[in-house]
Amino acid sequence: MNNKILNEVDKIIEFIKESDDYKDYIYLKDKLSKHEKANDLINEIKTLQKQAVKLEVNKMDTKELDNKIKDNLDKLNKIPLYRDFIDKQEVLNDYYQTIKERLDEYFYNKMN
């Protein structure tokens, strides 16, 4: 029974990997990884977020860092390649969420 379930899950994964949405996502991810400006902004945002978390833990003001993060996110969102990547990532996340919800509903109905 367990192997049968895993085989069906593998089929779903393969179906997604063969979809145009997934292929577009991989293509965009590769292009984005080579986009220097976008990567610089992403790395700067991550650094600022880590600093903000440290300040929050110490109950210090993060307003200045929050503003810098927001500014960098605004710049990042103006890069069309990044927006395309995020849009495609959201489409795939919707697939995953739908699959999860359907499985949750199925098992809930079987167990109750």
Side-chain angles (χ1 to χ4, degrees), residues 1-91:
M1 178 69 163
N2 198 17
N3 283 337
K4 187 175 181 181
I5 293 170
L6 293 176
N7 286 338
E8 293 303 315
V9 170
D10 287 343
K11 287 179 186 177
I12 293 169
I13 292 169
E14 278 306 308
F15 177 78
I16 292 171
K17 284 183 172 181
E18 291 172 7
S19 72
D20 288 339
D21 286 326
Y22 184 79
K23 290 174 185 174
D24 290 345
Y25 168 79
I26 295 300
Y27 171 77
L28 292 167
K29 182 178 177 184
D30 182 57
K31 280 190 76 170
L32 187 61
S33 73
K34 297 171 185 164
H35 194 288
E36 191 174 332
K37 182 179 178 184
N39 280 296
D40 288 347
L41 286 167
I42 291 168
N43 290 330
E44 179 67 17
I45 290 167
K46 287 179 182 179
T47 299
L48 293 170
Q49 287 172 330
K50 288 177 186 176
Q51 292 172 2
V53 168
K54 287 179 184 176
L55 289 178
E56 286 176 352
V57 167
N58 293 317
K59 301 192 184 335
M60 298 174 74
D61 183 29
T62 62
K63 188 173 183 172
E64 184 179 334
L65 286 176
D66 292 341
N67 288 334
K68 287 181 183 178
I69 292 168
K70 183 186 177 308
D71 290 344
N72 283 333
L73 281 171
D74 289 344
K75 291 175 189 173
L76 189 56
N77 280 311
K78 290 179 182 167
I79 298 173
L81 176 61
Y82 178 77
R83 281 299 335 142
D84 291 344
F85 172 77
I86 293 300
D87 291 344
K88 195 55 70 174
Q89 190 176 50
E90 288 174 359
V91 167

